[in-house]
Amino acid sequence: MELFGEQKRCLDCLVTSIEQLGGRVDVPKLEQIAELIIQTMRGPWRYFHTSEHIFEVGGSVDPIEVLAALFHDLVYVQVDQGVNFNISSALCPFVKEVRSQLVIRDETELPKDAMYELVAAVFGFVPGQTLSPFAGQNEFLSAVIAGKCLEAFLPPRTIVQISACIEATIPFRGVSPNGLSAIELLHQRLVNVNRDFNLGLTDSELCQIVKRSVRLANRDVENFASPNSSNFLDNTWNLMPETNHELSNVNSYTVGGYRRSLQKMEGFLNFLKPELVFQQFMEEPDDETYTNMIARTRKNIAVAKLYLGIKLITIAILEALSYRLGRDIPLSTMMGELRAPGFTTSALEDYLPERNIAYPLENQLQKQVLDLLEIGRNQESPYDIKNSPVSTFIIKSIGFAETDSFLKKAHDFFAGHLSSEELLSYCDAEVIDTIASGVMKLFDSRKIALGKVQLAHKVIS
């Protein structure tokens, strides 16, 4: 069959990489694998973990990195709400579902499969183990599929290296109880795998395998260290709808649904330590590069946390006001629909006054966040505009010094410990009155628009 676009690009990566590694090339079978990969990466909720992402992570230099990247996000249970039907058959012999969790089959149930055993040994996973979405489940299952897909084309010692790269992409792991990093533990397991499966790799080759794995894993999360915080926020906004599927229903997701997606991301960033994002092994990367990556990550996380905090304050006010109308009110009811080409619709921002900054900015962080709110992120997202005019109005009115205490009140409101009216009474009365008035003017604009339709009908009749 003739392939086009992403599938052809994927096939080219498979063929070229396998040829470079001295493997056996069977184009018809590799076409089927390329189709499998791209179809899976085109899942309806994939906004960030897409085919473009796997091509970026793999690069174009090292064939093992290219192959590992093609497969590393194939399974993403949280995003796809399960395992894609087209790849589940490859996993069923090894994994079963028990009370909504995926579990490796017991030793008596597992088939005798050398490739599966090789991949499991690289990950250190054992029969009967319950898999966790936050501890390598997706990466392990992706590596199993990679091994099974590629075993006809490449020898085990090569597939071990691909599996190691995929294992290294398990994110945000701390130091083990015995003081070893995740990447050092991977090195230890590879030493044992090399011995137990008679792969014949030298100590130097094993170290190079781990270094390569670090390169790929760090490229997988490189947006955390973006020199431009706006780029980092763009990626953050692409990640949110992957695990908050309500956001894919543009103009119909609720105020509460949008708020919960912001809360999830804020909770994640509050938990995340910059030192856990990137990995290092035997000067890969060198100390200066690694230190700079961590520093940029720390800065981007600080920007994102303050930015998300202000967005949460904004949505708290809108949600509290929406309670005067009912529960589960669409956000578009309160703010207007996202503007589409060819349509002129009113939005809440049209009815908010221009506001000068009431309180001087205290540092560069505040300036950067205000710019991101007022001017916007670099990209529009399918479910949200890139700038934040309502948040800009609020923060210019109340100042950054108020954000911490207000955010605590907002979280109390979200948790049900504070009523909607109590939250509104806590905020500056002029701010609340202005926003409420803006929402009413938005309603009036809809009323006028409907009135024009009625008038047109009368004229026609």
Side-chain angles (χ1 to χ4, degrees), residues 28-325:
K29 288 184 178 177
L30 291 174
E31 284 180 343
Q32 293 175 1
I33 294 172
E35 183 180 15
L36 177 78
I37 291 171
I38 297 303
Q39 280 192 354
T40 304
M41 301 308 292
R42 284 177 177 165
W45 296 297
R46 299 266 185 151
Y47 286 80
F48 178 82
H49 295 97
T50 61
S51 52
E52 189 57 41
H53 174 67
I54 62 178
F55 295 135
E56 289 173 358
V57 170
S60 59
V61 176
D62 188 304
I64 287 174
E65 292 179 31
V66 171
L67 290 173
L70 291 180
F71 288 92
H72 84 287
D73 276 336
L74 208 56
V75 175
Y76 213 131
V77 173
Q78 305 96 295
V79 174
D80 298 326
Q81 288 194 327
V83 178
N84 184 283
F85 181 79
N86 291 330
I87 59 178
S88 59
S89 59
L91 298 172
C92 283
F94 313 110
V95 181
K96 61 185 177 181
E97 186 173 327
V98 179
R99 292 186 290 277
S100 300
Q101 288 185 294
L102 296 180
V103 178
I104 298 175
R105 293 184 182 275
D106 293 332
E107 203 156 2
T108 55
E109 298 177 276
L110 283 170
K112 189 67 180 170
D113 189 296
M115 183 52 61
Y116 170 80
E117 291 169 6
L118 190 67
V119 173
V122 171
F123 278 74
F125 286 8
V126 296
Q129 179 174 337
T130 299
L131 299 175
S132 166
F134 310 106
Q137 168 186 271
N138 298 325
E139 293 79 6
F140 172 63
L141 298 179
S142 297
V144 170
I145 294 171
K148 296 305 294 179
C149 283
L150 297 174
E151 65 179 338
F153 312 105
L154 294 167
R157 61 183 280 145
T158 302
I159 293 177
V160 157
Q161 299 176 58
I162 294 168
S163 298
C165 283
I166 298 174
E167 196 282 344
T169 65
I170 302 172
F172 317 130
R173 292 177 287 179
V175 175
S176 69
N178 59 1
L180 295 177
S181 69
I183 210 69
E184 288 168 332
L185 291 172
L186 173 61
H187 178 247
Q188 282 190 353
R189 289 196 301 275
L190 286 173
V191 170
N192 295 334
V193 169
N194 183 49
R195 179 196 64 222
D196 296 342
F197 289 84
N198 299 311
L199 300 178
L201 297 162
T202 66
D203 290 344
S204 175
E205 286 173 324
L206 289 169
C207 289
Q208 290 306 314
I209 291 169
V210 179
K211 286 185 175 185
R212 179 193 291 115
S213 301
V214 167
R215 283 198 299 272
L216 181 97
N218 285 348
R219 212 157 45 236
D220 190 28
V221 291
E222 66 182 358
N223 73 90
F224 277 89
S226 172
N228 186 330
S229 294
S230 185
N231 290 337
F232 174 63
L233 278 174
D234 283 334
N235 285 319
T236 301
W237 247 246
N238 282 334
L239 280 168
M240 285 202 297
E242 288 198 334
T243 51
N244 299 275
H245 296 161
E246 185 180 352
L247 296 182
S248 61
N249 299 316
V250 177
N251 286 325
S252 64
Y253 57 80
T254 64
V255 180
Y258 183 74
R259 180 258 297 171
R260 284 187 291 274
S261 69
L262 293 178
Q263 272 187 287
K264 281 185 188 177
M265 187 56 68
E266 187 212 28
F268 165 68
L269 291 175
N270 280 328
F271 149 81
L272 184 61
K273 296 177 181 176
E275 297 80 12
L276 299 183
V277 176
F278 293 98
Q279 304 184 64
Q280 185 183 38
F281 182 79
M282 294 180 67
E283 291 297 305
E284 176 59 55
D286 63 68
D287 287 343
E288 182 180 358
T289 301
Y290 181 71
T291 301
N292 287 336
M293 291 161 76
I294 299 300
R296 288 198 299 270
T297 298
R298 181 173 285 107
K299 178 203 166 207
N300 285 335
I301 290 175
V303 168
K305 284 166 66 174
L306 183 55
Y307 179 88
L308 279 164
I310 295 165
K311 297 279 279 187
L312 277 167
I313 288 170
T314 304
I315 205 68
I317 291 172
L318 289 170
E319 188 169 5
L321 286 171
S322 77
Y323 278 17
R324 294 175 175 176
L325 302 176

Side-chain angles (χ1 to χ4, degrees), residues 338-384:
L338 294 176
R339 284 171 171 149
F343 290 89
T344 303
T345 56
S346 295
L348 175 57
E349 63 195 80
D350 300 333
Y351 306 107
L352 297 180
E354 286 290 328
R355 180 63 51 98
N356 293 322
I357 300 173
Y359 302 92
L361 300 177
E362 297 176 6
N363 50 50
Q364 184 62 30
L365 174 62
Q366 293 179 0
K367 180 184 185 308
Q368 189 169 4
V369 170
L370 181 59
D371 285 345
L372 285 165
L373 293 168
E374 188 167 21
I375 300 168
R377 306 181 303 275
N378 288 336
Q379 300 174 2
E380 301 278 4
S381 70
Y383 65 94
D384 201 5

